[in-house]
Amino acid sequence: MSNTQENKTRQRLLEIFSLVNMDSLPAMSEHVTELISLLGSSRATAQEVANTILKDYSLTTRILQVVNSAYYSRGTPVSTISRAITVVGFDTLRQMAATMALFDEFVRTGTEKDEIAGLFTMSLISATQSRIYCELKKSRISPEEAYVCTLLHKLGKLVILVYLPAQYQAIEQQMQKGYSEERSTRLVLKDLTYSQIGREISTFWNFSKRIVDCMETEPAKPEKNKDAFLLLQNLVVFSNNLTAAFFNGTKVELADLIYKFGGIFELGQEEALTLVDRSLGVCENYSAAMRDGLTKIQKGRSSQIAVTKDPSGRWIRVN
């Protein structure tokens, strides 16, 4: 995007946010920005992450609760963040901290608590899928980078839901009439898309260029895995679309998704659905709020694939 186009997009964003009496774009708290920065940095140390977490008493307490849960517990109580790093691993802990902090920021700021929880949880499931895929396939993509880029892929949509809920609902109404999401956002938001909004906001919040560029919704197809960043961009889109297809899609949409991306990632439909199942198991252990988010994910379309739990508590599809 040229500087002229960027300036025009920024101006339209300012016009939109003036609707809620903001003379600038929304600010992210310094604490959350610091955690996101540490999440995306390969040079971050365990001590830096621990010190940042300890600045927030509530976050510290909730992380310790998760680490002491049945999912992570090794039988010995964990009472310090430094010990938590040993138990779950440095990368997992900083993912957990940044995710919880970002979730809290959006829920605290927004009025549509249930819908925010549902939409953010969809992003969390997608991010976890990307990380698991990279670990299982021993991909050239960093699991850490795949996680954060996938988590923030739908940032524009979340920002509109949090800060401009009336406009968000107007977009949803346009989609119910049969318009695509992109067409609906352009109609309501001065010809802007969620992707453009996410890119501008994340630039304003000083997120890395790679995070910004992973908000692209139609990346080019990588040629035989030669371009690692193109592979990352495709994984981000695939994981987010897979989650959407699992909860709100049709069999045809799921099949189309596997047809489009299966060759790139060497995944069949069953293996892809196993990724979703594994990520759900991980996400249910983040917090009560995120468990609630799983129950609040929108399932409004009549053609959707219904999702429920079996007697053992495992999420399954009801076709």
Side-chain angles (χ1 to χ4, degrees), residues 36 102 147-156 207 211 215:
I36 294 291
L102 188 60
Y147 180 93
V148 67
C149 289
T150 306
L151 181 71
L152 296 173
H153 178 67
K154 291 188 177 293
L155 180 64
F207 290 170
I211 290 174
M215 291 176 188

Side-chain angles (χ1 to χ4, degrees), residues 181-195:
E181 185 174 83
E182 179 173 341
R183 174 63 174 159
S184 298
T185 56
R186 288 188 183 278
L187 285 170
V188 175
L189 299 176
K190 296 182 179 291
D191 205 35
L192 293 174
T193 66
Y194 282 143
S195 176

Side-chain angles (χ1 to χ4, degrees), residues 130-142:
S130 286
R131 188 193 73 205
I132 292 172
Y133 170 83
C134 292
E135 292 168 347
L136 284 176
K137 296 290 187 176
K138 298 186 177 6
S139 169
R140 295 166 57 199
I141 307 169
S142 158

Side-chain angles (χ1 to χ4, degrees), residues 21 41 69 82 108 116 186 232 277 279 300 314:
N21 299 318
S41 171
S69 70
S82 58
R108 177 187 62 79
I116 293 168
R186 288 188 183 278
L232 170 63
D277 186 63
S279 65
R314 182 173 181 267

